Amino acid sequence: MQNGKTTPMPGADTHIAGKQGMAALTLAAIGVVYGDIGTSPLYTVKEIFAPHTGVPLDAIHLIGAVSAIFWALMLVVTLKYVILILRADNHGEGGGLALTALAARAVEHRPALRKGLLLLGVFGATLFYGDSLITPAISVLGAMEGLEVVTPALKPYVVPATVAILIGLFMVQRVGTAVVGRFFGPIIVLWFGVLGVIGIWHIAQQPAILAALNPLRAWEFLSSRGWHVFAAVGAIVLALTGAEALYADMGHFGRKPIQIAWTGLVLPGLALNYLGQGALLMGDPSAIDNPFYRLFPDSWIIPALVLATLAAIIASQAVISGAYSLTKQAMQLGFLPRMRVQYTSAREIGQIYMPAVNWALLLGVLAVVLFFGSSSALASAYGIAVTLTMMITTLLNYFVVKETWHMPAPLAIGATAFFLVVDALLVAGCAIKFFDGGWFPLALGLALFILMSTWRRGRELLMESTRRDGLSLQDFIDQIDPRSVNKAERTAVYAAADAETVPQALLHNLKHNQVLHARNVILTVHFHDVPWVPMERRVDVKPLGHSFWRVQVNYGFMNTPDVPKALELTASHGLQVSLFDTSYFLSRETVVPTPGGGMANWRERLFATMSQNASGVVEFFRLPGNAVVELGTRVSI
């Protein structure tokens, strides 16, 4: 039924995330968007001064390191994402796939470039899954390592406690985030408030750390490191993880609330805490074993541990929910097979739960925790996927800036080149950690890219095979003699990938049952490369003669497919499709790999396996199960 095309849909309405007040949206954005970057102070400073970086622990290098963190936040997060990238909305939606669709549409007159940008964007999206495994692991591990600060005797319980919390977190995903979501904002507001206040307390004791606000100190720190700068940058980038979430969650909250939250609370809280950790270490270098928790007096350690754990859980929740949303978008853009989607809220269609994704993530996260065992070990794996995604975002955004915004070429090239240089430095800093764990998210991303590109290419080959071997629909209808065929006084809906070819289910119905229906609907579903298609553009209806109709149902990649509901809209076009008087005929395709086809034989076998295990059309398109007839057919590719 899904044809995998991503043609643009002009006029699709911009999605508005509810008529809530700016304050309420800003509070919600703080809770969902900034959990990941908000937990970075748990481990960033400690990693910059880890033995493998070779950075001396003295006042000059402390000021330089904190300055590098501060100005990285200003350049990458504030300037690039908050000011520039948030403007690149795809009808109100953001994120890797939304930007990919926007960039592809900007160069639709250049097919080869368009295809290349689509594949580049999909690869960037696959890297997000690596982040979805590492973020929960490193955030919860970093929080639980506070147990060691309470007493070294609790060190053996860090990993078991982390595993228990993560299992509990994934177990409750099925009930949705509607109930706990309202508490996310206040908790994270308290978190950033505590970060800022404790930072100010230590800054007051060592005001010399304020020299870190001078960008020259960051430049001196980086330039003095020579080739060792990459090791330091690989640790500094930990302060930036979660920056992509600003853009990815724009559709839920809007640009303004995310910008207000960043400038009004998040950036000040982070900056003050990093300055505070630097001030602490200037006065007590021995606190480097865990500078975050050592910020707090002994009587505050346990409350800080509880708050950090809650913040880590919220940060994990954000990327888990993001993995669900990204998977759903990829399915509807034709890059992944159908999977079961459960809607956990009757009011918020964005709140979904995907069992297959959830349990795969849980297994992956637990494997990461048990394999690496500490936030320091995980820091080696963290960053490379995020920085590559940042670089891909910069490249895709260039085509939006140049082709859609019509910015002058020198300005577009200059801005892109500047951010690419910054991105390249961050990628290089993380690349030196490749053999220490950096390979993990890249290997995962590459495996997922192979799966997604194989599925996309396989569906294209399937369409080509259907068109090559199928019968012309209009010719078939014109040759029908209505008097020679038995009629059933019902409506038959035949799902078709190609609207110009006779569906196999229709041929089988005629051959085996020797019957046509009073109304025969040839149904195709198109997912367009805009997030939302409004109801007034949901269906296109065309009569074909002899009681045949062609109906195209249109969805954006953020819409929730509901075919029976969409077919109710055909009444205004002269076609009545009654819920209780309709049968749905589906072709269940068995893919047969053939030597010398359009893909390598192993990819064709992989596609056949994916096709066989794809979730059913019935559930995905919300068809009434008691009105569906499935007829099998074999298709060679």
Side-chain angles (χ1 to χ4, degrees):
M1 186 181 291
Q2 179 183 356
N3 69 350
K5 291 179 70 176
T6 56
T7 52
M9 190 68 182
D13 286 350
T14 299
H15 174 59
I16 301 174
K19 296 181 179 179
Q20 305 176 57
M22 185 65 71
L25 282 172
T26 303
L27 179 65
I30 291 170
V32 174
V33 175
Y34 293 110
D36 189 358
I37 199 168
T39 54
S40 295
L42 286 168
Y43 42 77
T44 299
V45 173
K46 178 174 68 172
E47 293 308 313
I48 292 175
F49 293 94
H52 69 273
T53 65
V55 179
L57 186 58
D58 55 36
I60 292 177
H61 289 90
L62 279 166
I63 292 172
V66 173
S67 181
I69 292 173
F70 176 78
W71 286 102
L73 290 171
M74 293 299 294
L75 289 177
V76 176
V77 184
T78 306
L79 183 59
K80 177 180 172 180
Y81 281 94
V82 174
I83 295 178
L84 177 63
I85 299 295
L86 284 182
R87 293 185 58 209
D89 67 291
N90 190 338
H91 294 263
E93 290 293 325
L97 287 179
L99 181 63
T100 299
L102 200 62
R105 194 158 68 245
V107 297
E108 59 186 351
H109 55 288
R110 298 153 72 182
L113 178 59
R114 182 180 186 277
K115 184 176 181 180
L117 292 180
L118 279 172
L119 291 176
L120 180 65
V122 169
F123 179 64
T126 63
L127 294 174
F128 178 84
Y129 289 99
D131 189 28
S132 298
L133 293 184
I134 297 176
T135 292
I138 195 171
S139 298
V140 179
L141 267 174
M144 287 297 97
E145 285 169 353
L147 292 172
E148 300 177 42
V149 180
V150 175
T151 171
L154 292 177
K155 183 175 182 179
Y157 298 98
V158 169
V159 170
T162 299
V163 168
I165 289 172
L166 289 171
I167 290 175
L169 176 63
F170 281 90
M171 288 290 286
V172 301
Q173 292 301 311
R174 67 182 67 187
V175 303
T177 59
V179 176
V180 295
R182 72 189 65 173
F183 300 110
F184 283 8
I187 290 172
I188 296 296
V189 167
L190 176 61
W191 171 252
F192 283 115
V194 169
L195 291 185
V197 169
I198 198 68
I200 291 172
W201 184 36
H202 285 277
I203 293 169
Q205 299 175 49
Q206 292 284 346
I209 192 64
L210 291 174
L213 297 178
N214 183 347
L216 292 177
R217 293 303 185 96
W219 172 254
E220 292 167 359
F221 171 77
L222 295 174
S223 60
S224 67
R225 302 302 304 151
W227 287 106
H228 297 291
V229 69
F230 296 113
V233 169
I236 292 168
V237 78
L238 295 173
L240 307 175
T241 56
E244 280 284 326
L246 278 73
Y247 182 48
D249 289 313
M250 180 168 58
H252 296 289
F253 307 105
R255 181 193 312 161
K256 282 294 182 184
I258 292 175
Q259 291 174 328
I260 292 170
W262 174 256
T263 55
L265 177 66
V266 179
L267 176 60
L270 291 173
L272 289 170
N273 193 262
Y274 286 123
L275 287 165
Q277 290 191 45
L280 167 70
L281 293 171
M282 288 176 70
D284 182 13
S286 68
I288 193 60
D289 60 331
N290 199 318
F292 175 79
Y293 280 110
R294 293 286 293 275
L295 287 171
F296 299 91
D298 291 343
S299 59
W300 287 23
I301 292 294
I302 293 179
L305 174 63
V306 172
L307 184 59
T309 302
L310 292 173
I313 290 172
I314 293 171
S316 303
Q317 179 64 59
V319 296
I320 293 169
S321 301
Y324 299 155
S325 298
L326 181 64
T327 303
K328 182 186 173 189
Q329 291 181 35
M331 287 192 304
Q332 297 186 178
L333 286 171
F335 286 101
L336 280 176
R338 293 179 302 273
M339 285 180 253
R340 185 181 174 198
V341 180
Q342 295 179 11
Y343 296 87
T344 59
S345 172
R347 293 181 300 172
E348 300 293 334
I349 62 173
Q351 292 183 10
I352 61 174
Y353 168 66
M354 302 186 68
V357 176
N358 188 69
W359 301 123
L361 281 178
L362 174 58
L363 292 175
V365 170
L366 293 181
V368 166
V369 169
L370 296 174
F371 180 77
F372 289 95
S374 71
S375 62
S376 293
L378 257 175
S380 298
Y382 208 25
I384 191 165
V386 176
T387 52
L388 279 173
T389 304
M390 290 177 175
M391 179 175 282
I392 290 171
T393 296
T394 300
L395 288 170
L396 292 174
N397 192 64
Y398 165 76
F399 294 96
V400 177
V401 169
K402 178 68 170 60
E403 303 294 337
T404 304
W405 298 354
H406 304 294
M407 187 177 288
L411 185 58
I413 293 172
T416 301
F418 172 76
F419 287 119
L420 278 179
V421 169
V422 176
D423 292 337
L425 177 62
L426 298 177
V427 171
C430 295
I432 64 171
K433 301 185 291 184
F434 180 83
F435 293 106
D436 295 323
W439 58 270
F440 174 75
L442 290 183
L444 178 65
L446 181 60
L448 289 170
F449 179 76
I450 291 172
L451 288 176
M452 294 171 77
S453 60
T454 296
W455 180 258
R456 175 82 169 195
R457 179 57 180 154
R459 294 300 300 176
E460 291 174 352
L461 292 173
L462 210 56
M463 287 286 291
E464 292 172 7
S465 176
T466 300
R467 289 171 180 154
R468 183 178 62 249
D469 301 332
L471 302 174
S472 167
L473 177 62
Q474 193 61 60
D475 291 345
F476 172 82
I477 294 172
D478 292 341
Q479 294 171 10
I480 290 177
D481 181 0
R483 296 168 298 180
S484 65
V485 183
N486 296 318
K487 283 286 184 75
E489 292 302 320
R490 290 176 60 84
T491 300
V493 177
Y494 294 97
D498 181 12
E500 304 296 329
T501 305
V502 181
Q504 288 294 315
L506 173 56
L507 293 176
H508 285 307
N509 193 32
L510 272 177
K511 177 181 178 181
H512 297 293
N513 299 324
Q514 297 181 345
V515 64
L516 277 178
H517 288 64
R519 292 166 299 280
N520 299 277
V521 176
I522 309 302
L523 174 71
T524 57
V525 177
H526 285 224
F527 288 98
H528 300 269
D529 61 359
V530 294
W532 308 94
V533 173
M535 295 302 288
E536 61 267 22
R537 295 177 176 268
R538 184 56 43 86
V539 295
D540 297 319
V541 181
K542 179 181 179 182
L544 301 175
H546 294 315
S547 302
F548 276 83
W549 302 72
R550 179 186 291 130
V551 176
Q552 176 177 307
V553 180
N554 302 297
Y555 293 111
F557 57 79
M558 293 294 289
N559 282 124
T560 299
D562 190 330
V563 165
K565 185 176 180 180
L567 289 177
E568 294 176 4
L569 302 174
T570 62
S572 62
H573 298 267
L575 173 63
Q576 292 286 343
V577 180
S578 171
L579 177 64
F580 303 103
D581 195 31
T582 301
S583 299
Y584 295 86
F585 291 86
L586 310 178
S587 296
R588 178 166 286 277
E589 300 156 340
T590 299
V591 178
V592 181
T594 55
M599 287 192 294
N601 193 249
W602 67 269
R603 291 186 73 194
E604 291 189 357
R605 292 198 301 271
L606 175 61
F607 174 71
T609 301
M610 294 171 72
S611 183
Q612 182 179 354
N613 289 282
S615 176
V617 171
V618 176
E619 186 177 56
F620 187 77
F621 290 104
R622 297 192 169 187
L623 304 182
N626 59 357
V628 172
V629 179
E630 293 194 73
L631 300 168
T633 182
R634 294 170 66 84
V635 182
S636 299
I637 60 172

